[in-house]
Amino acid sequence: MSTTYSPCSPGRPSLRLRRPGRILLAVAGLATVLLASACDTAQQVPWATYNSQLQQQIDAATATRGCAALQAFLAAAKATSSAHEKATGFPNDSLVAYIQASQHEAGCPSASG
């Protein structure tokens, strides 16, 4: 009588991740990549001069690939740069760069202007 080896036999851990495990691993990997790629740019943005939830909103739109939301954030940042600079001393240049990097990370199509 011969025995057949199966990597999924009882008492032996499966080498393959189940679907929820793979999804969780992918989300964790994406979050790590987004955080690592945004660190330098995020530190350059004077976040205290903006709405306290702005960075979280941009990051959430990036994580969910919300290209329309990111485009709206970008348009608003560009449109209000002069007023923001007059009020705070900081133009929106670093915010614009942060949003553009977020669009790239989210895989959004390039927009002109």
Side-chain angles (χ1 to χ4, degrees):
M1 180 172 191
S2 67
T3 56
T4 306
Y5 172 74
S6 171
C8 296
S9 60
R12 180 132 176 113
S14 173
L15 299 177
R16 285 198 261 182
L17 291 173
R18 302 247 183 250
R19 185 174 175 96
R22 287 186 296 202
I23 292 171
L24 183 60
L25 185 61
V27 169
L30 176 62
T32 301
V33 168
L34 288 175
L35 288 173
S37 67
C39 283
D40 290 338
T41 307
Q43 291 174 357
Q44 295 171 359
V45 178
W47 293 112
T49 65
Y50 298 102
N51 176 307
S52 63
Q53 298 298 312
L54 183 61
Q55 184 178 10
Q56 292 83 7
Q57 292 170 343
I58 293 168
D59 293 346
T62 304
T64 60
R65 299 182 184 273
C67 295
L70 290 169
Q71 185 59 39
F73 286 128
L74 182 61
K78 287 180 177 181
T80 61
S81 188
S82 292
H84 188 263
E85 184 173 14
K86 285 180 185 177
T88 67
F90 298 101
N92 287 346
D93 297 346
S94 56
L95 177 63
V96 167
Y98 183 76
I99 296 168
Q100 288 172 332
S102 296
Q103 288 178 312
H104 177 75
E105 290 297 323
C108 300
S110 298
S112 61

